Amino acid sequence: MNYDVVIVGAGVGGLFTAMHLPADYKILILSKEGLRSSDSFLAQGGICMLRGDFDYEEYFEDTMRAGHYENDRTSVDTMLRASQEIISELVECGVRFTRDEKGNFVFTREGAHRSPRILYHEDCTGKEITSHLLRKVKRMGNVTLLPHTTMVDILTDGKECYGVAARDNKTGKITCYRAPHTVLATGGIGGLFRHSTNFRCLTGDSLAICLRHGIPLKHVDYIQIHPTTLYSKKRGRRFLISESVRGEGAILIDKAGNRFTDELRPRDVVTQAIREQMKKDDMPYVRLDMRPIGREEIQSHFPTIVKKCEEEGYNVFEEPIPVVPAQHYFMGGIAVDRDSMTAMPRLYAVGETSCNGVHGRNRLASNSLLESLVFAKKAALKIGRESKELPDVSCSYERDTEQFKKIVLEEIEKERQRHE
Ligand SMILES: Cc1cc2nc3c(=O)[nH]c(=O)nc-3n(C[C@H](O)[C@H](O)[C@H](O)COP(=O)(O)OP(=O)(O)OC[C@H]3O[C@@H](n4cnc5c(N)ncnc54)[C@H](O)[C@@H]3O)c2cc1C
């Protein structure tokens, strides 16, 4: 089957790429599970925006400091400067960010941000953004969306990429989708971990495929652990208690009810403090007290969290809730240039599966939706400038995905040991 562009992944990265490709391109978007089973739907806290020139230096510095100064400065600059345009595009798509009575944006704050610069929609900003993007893409006459279809390999002659081979999850049938340009937008790697906030289907398949084909990855051991997810003995995805809860005043307390850390330090620092406290207390969790936020603000800003806690038997208005760190975000990924191109010609990577260096060693809260959108758009514009002629070359692929998880985990371990 021939297309002009094949995009693997239907989160914000994949959808925004499709939206910025030329309108006459025939586009295919694959998704491993249903179209709403992407981490983009789960984002709670919000999306950053550079509020004006007055905030440039501080926002830049906050991003760098959170990333331990290992960030790519040019990528950070690109992201900050593109942010207002991206937000305008989202608003044009119908995304409703919280506004005050005069109609001005309301900004919230999360850990390691020195000032409020995060736009949000209640505590389900990702769902608000992604459902609008999905609606828009569904209305585009040139895009075919194919859910429940798993990429098993890229099509390549060993030098360039000419599409993907993918398996229909129901029938098991493998089909080759050929295209002169392919975009990997397959998200994070949480499915490799026992405790993660991510969808279980996100297992770093693109990374395994790139490793098989010798396409370089970067910083695969840069994995962010979120300090506060709701403690549960159940298996499966962990429920995130967004950082903006702490940004609005919630405090972390130990077994005896005493506050033990500054809740707004970068995520890795707070995670470390919680782990040490759990050890001291000999407990599988610490507790988060949301009551300092105030009932009204809790109700209007965090309705999803209130509901989920209720389902698990906790009343956030009356008691602290148990929280524990869990795998949350992947800063590393497929190495890409500033137009999101991988080392293999005709192959791009965007969103969490890619690494353009924006986040350095640790992501600043609410920078990832923005980063995905900014660099997805750059990939689309770059593809739009290239020829869409599909050369007639014979390609091969492998259908075995059994080893994917093992391949990625081994690479992470290798990189971790290299860093030690
Ligand atoms: C609980 C939670 C809260 C978050 N909160 C925030 C926040 O407040 N602000 C913020 O900026 N970021 C937040 N993030 C991070 C952010 O949501 C993600 O980084 C971002 O949405 C990633 O987008 P993406 O398009 O790269 O991947 P995703 O949205 O995860 O999409 C990945 C897509 O790839 C598909 N896929 C994967 N493998 C295959 C395969 N082999 N074949 C076919 N398809 C495949 C999946 O089916 C899916 O459609 C949060 C993340 C989580 C988990």
Side-chain angles (χ1 to χ4, degrees):
M1 290 212 194
N2 290 1
Y3 290 85
D4 294 321
V5 182
V6 172
I7 299 170
V8 189
V12 289
L15 296 171
F16 215 56
T17 305
M19 280 168 55
H20 288 87
L21 286 165
D24 62 338
Y25 273 35
K26 197 176 154 200
I27 302 162
L28 175 70
I29 301 182
L30 305 178
S31 142
K32 198 169 178 180
E33 292 189 347
L35 295 172
R36 297 173 85 85
S37 296
S38 70
D39 275 7
S40 297
F41 270 93
L42 300 180
Q44 286 182 356
I47 179 168
C48 290
M49 185 184 93
L50 176 65
R51 295 177 66 174
D53 288 345
F54 69 91
D55 191 34
Y56 180 88
E57 265 178 41
E58 210 173 81
Y59 182 9
F60 190 93
E61 174 61 20
D62 286 352
T63 301
M64 297 294 296
R65 198 166 36 137
H68 297 262
Y69 298 95
E70 290 188 30
N71 320 54
D72 181 304
R73 299 179 72 89
T74 310
S75 295
V76 176
D77 175 71
T78 302
M79 181 179 77
L80 265 55
R81 292 188 191 286
S83 64
Q84 292 186 358
E85 193 180 305
I86 295 288
I87 298 299
S88 300
E89 287 186 38
L90 294 179
V91 171
E92 251 171 58
C93 276
V95 175
R96 296 155 302 166
F97 292 113
T98 299
R99 294 176 186 261
D100 63 17
E101 56 288 349
K102 289 191 188 135
N104 299 317
F105 285 140
V106 174
F107 293 90
T108 188
R109 200 182 150 200
E110 294 185 64
H113 285 272
R114 273 175 291 173
S115 52
R117 58 172 77 92
I118 299 166
L119 291 167
Y120 63 98
H121 175 92
E122 295 175 353
D123 53 358
C124 53
T125 312
K127 183 173 165 204
E128 174 68 11
I129 293 175
T130 320
S131 52
H132 277 92
L133 298 187
L134 187 56
R135 197 169 307 148
K136 171 135 191 183
V137 168
K138 278 182 173 169
R139 286 199 195 123
M140 290 163 58
N142 60 329
V143 182
T144 305
L145 284 145
L146 208 54
H148 304 290
T149 307
T150 303
M151 167 181 62
V152 296
D153 204 351
I154 52 171
L155 301 176
T156 174
D157 58 355
K159 297 187 207 98
E160 302 194 3
C161 177
Y162 299 102
V164 304
R167 179 186 291 125
D168 180 319
N169 293 356
K170 285 184 197 127
T171 63
K173 186 177 165 228
I174 291 186
T175 304
C176 289
Y177 299 99
R178 288 174 57 89
H181 305 286
T182 301
V183 182
L184 302 174
T186 51
I189 58 169
L192 300 174
F193 296 78
R194 208 155 86 92
H195 296 294
S196 170
T197 58
N198 294 189
F199 269 101
R200 302 304 302 162
C201 68
L202 303 179
T203 44
D205 299 353
S206 292
L207 306 176
I209 289 169
C210 285
L211 284 165
R212 273 187 174 166
H213 291 283
I215 300 164
L217 311 182
K218 217 169 146 185
H219 300 323
V220 284
D221 58 335
Y222 286 6
I223 296 163
Q224 186 173 79
I225 308 297
H226 197 287
T228 52
T229 68
L230 191 61
Y231 173 75
S232 171
K233 284 185 180 160
K234 293 179 198 157
R235 288 185 80 83
R237 183 154 59 81
R238 291 286 160 256
F239 181 74
L240 180 82
I241 306 295
S242 164
E243 194 141 353
S244 51
V245 170
R246 281 174 281 129
E248 295 294 337
I251 57 165
L252 285 162
I253 54 174
D254 63 11
K255 199 174 169 182
N258 298 318
R259 190 173 173 209
F260 61 86
T261 187
D262 170 0
E263 292 79 5
L264 292 181
R265 288 187 298 170
R267 286 181 177 173
D268 50 347
V269 182
V270 178
T271 295
Q272 187 58 24
I274 292 177
R275 288 211 165 123
E276 280 164 16
Q277 195 58 48
M278 281 164 53
K279 220 178 196 174
K280 269 191 222 157
D281 289 349
D282 193 22
M283 292 284 286
Y285 52 79
V286 295
R287 288 177 302 155
L288 183 72
D289 195 347
M290 288 176 66
R291 290 172 295 183
I293 301 174
R295 182 174 276 271
E296 216 171 286
E297 179 65 18
I298 294 178
Q299 239 148 7
S300 64
H301 195 155
F302 304 112
T304 315
I305 292 176
V306 172
K307 190 161 165 268
K308 178 69 185 177
C309 289
E310 251 168 36
E311 283 167 16
E312 294 284 328
Y314 305 106
N315 180 345
V316 300
F317 302 106
E318 286 177 8
E319 61 189 331
I321 53 172
V323 291
V324 65
Q327 191 281 342
H328 181 55
Y329 185 77
F330 183 45
M331 277 78 63
I334 304 164
V336 291
D337 69 9
R338 296 199 174 101
D339 287 314
S340 306
M341 274 194 77
T342 71
M344 179 176 270
R346 302 175 184 275
L347 182 65
Y348 296 74
V350 301
E352 199 171 326
T353 204
S354 69
C355 180
N356 54 38
V358 157
H359 306 299
R361 184 136 57 96
N362 179 48
R363 169 185 67 130
L364 181 68
S366 285
N367 259 350
S368 47
L369 287 171
L370 180 61
E371 179 260 326
S372 298
L373 295 166
V374 169
F375 290 92
K377 182 173 172 180
K378 283 184 83 64
L381 298 182
K382 168 83 172 148
I383 293 170
R385 295 193 294 271
E386 301 288 313
S387 158
K388 62 174 184 157
E389 205 176 306
L390 180 59
D392 187 18
V393 282
S394 70
C395 296
S396 61
Y397 66 89
E398 280 186 44
R399 59 180 62 218
D400 153 49
T401 54
E402 286 298 302
Q403 299 296 312
F404 274 8
K405 285 186 181 179
K406 191 168 165 263
I407 292 173
V408 181
L409 284 169
E410 275 176 6
E411 187 66 16
I412 292 171
E413 185 53 25
K414 238 192 284 168
E415 188 76 354
R416 201 180 61 76
Q417 282 178 9
R418 209 173 60 79
H419 270 120
E420 267 179 10

